[in-house]
Amino acid sequence: MARKSTRKRKATRPRQVSRSALMAFFLLLVALVGAAYAWTQGRSWRPDEATWPDQGALVGAADGPVSFDTLAGLGAHFAYLEASRGAKGRDAGFAQNFSRARDAGLEVGAVHVFDPCTVADGQSANFVTMVPRDSDLLPPVILLDQTAADCPERVSDAAVQSELMTLVNQIEAHAGKAVILAPSEAFEDEYGVSRRIDRQLWLERSWFEPDYASRPWLMWTANRWYKSEAADRPLRWAVVRPL
């Protein structure tokens, strides 16, 4: 017969969590709670009206229904509305938003979203089809977000810059006013719009003033996730640099 071992097994003791590990967990928890609070508070933040009196919103199809009366009641003075995208894209809600924004007493402007993969002629024709000639409109805006990196065929930087300049001239001929260029930081880094085209700039950076252009800007999207009673979805809240 096999002899039974007389050696006793040591009782296993539960591993104690070190004080440093507990402190690290506590600090992480505090950081997460703080970040969640900051995000919640940040969504309702907008620049102080005493310093930035001229404020408004950028509205597009992705924003869903918007109450422009409520927007005006919140202190908005203007609404820029996305009208066209590239050579074929159109905001189906543009005409209705245009009418409702004006009825609410807001100044209205139209936005074209630039497509670097498409020549200027088709894009300007699309904008002209959507946006009426109206001297009371705010200066048109060309939103510059997408770079040529995602184009199905290679498009050189020189070609993008050339087509953009042609588009600027064509839209200005229709509107009778100089355009405002709204490059994202990525687009500015790629094509240097602020150095190459002498037009007013509209930059974006939530909660902090943007500094990625080579010269001062006119407009600033100060909160891309502005949550308000005017819409179920967050809106892009913008301000004009005071004179």
Side-chain angles (χ1 to χ4, degrees):
M1 292 180 62
R3 297 177 60 188
K4 292 184 178 180
S5 174
T6 57
R7 183 179 297 174
K8 293 183 179 180
R9 293 183 179 179
K10 292 183 179 180
T12 58
R13 300 176 64 183
R15 181 179 295 176
Q16 293 183 345
V17 179
S18 68
R19 180 175 296 180
S20 60
L22 284 173
M23 180 59 69
F25 174 77
F26 174 75
L27 291 175
L28 176 61
L29 183 61
V30 170
L32 291 173
V33 171
Y37 177 78
W39 168 249
T40 301
Q41 293 298 108
R43 293 183 72 191
S44 61
W45 177 86
R46 63 186 188 187
D48 184 5
E49 289 184 51
T51 305
W52 305 86
D54 199 2
Q55 307 198 12
L58 172 58
V59 177
D63 299 315
V66 175
S67 170
F68 291 96
D69 288 319
T70 302
L71 206 58
L74 291 170
H77 297 152
F78 64 85
Y80 263 99
L81 310 174
E82 291 183 5
S84 53
R85 177 183 294 271
K88 297 181 179 179
R90 297 177 181 178
D91 190 329
F94 174 74
Q96 187 177 67
N97 286 340
F98 185 96
S99 176
R100 290 179 175 176
R102 275 199 162 169
D103 289 345
L106 299 173
E107 292 190 86
V108 179
V111 177
H112 175 77
V113 182
F114 178 66
D115 181 357
C117 311
T118 307
V119 297
D121 290 350
Q123 299 196 56
S124 60
N126 191 21
F127 179 84
V128 166
T129 299
M130 293 294 293
V131 182
R133 269 201 173 105
D134 188 334
S135 60
D136 290 333
L137 284 175
L138 294 171
V141 169
I142 302 178
L143 190 61
L144 305 166
D145 190 16
Q146 179 187 351
T147 68
D150 297 324
C151 293
E153 297 181 3
R154 185 181 179 278
V155 181
S156 68
D157 289 358
V160 172
Q161 292 158 359
S162 175
E163 293 300 325
L164 174 57
M165 192 67 242
T166 300
L167 180 64
V168 166
N169 291 330
Q170 291 171 336
I171 289 181
E172 287 181 343
H174 173 73
K177 297 178 181 179
V179 303
I180 298 172
L181 298 177
S184 66
E185 187 166 1
F187 197 97
E188 173 65 22
D189 287 345
E190 186 70 23
Y191 304 110
V193 172
S194 66
R195 298 191 307 275
R196 296 175 182 275
I197 303 179
D198 185 19
R199 296 296 188 278
Q200 295 282 14
L201 300 173
W202 181 340
L203 305 185
E204 62 174 12
R205 181 173 289 163
S206 292
W207 310 308
F208 301 98
E209 292 186 35
D211 58 1
Y212 57 84
S214 63
R215 53 189 172 84
W217 43 265
L218 172 68
M219 299 184 67
W220 165 34
T221 298
N223 192 344
R224 293 184 61 194
W225 300 281
Y226 180 64
K227 185 65 177 173
S228 71
E229 303 91 338
D232 292 334
R233 301 174 188 175
L235 297 174
R236 290 160 288 180
W237 193 264
V239 298
V240 179
R241 184 188 290 276
L243 298 177

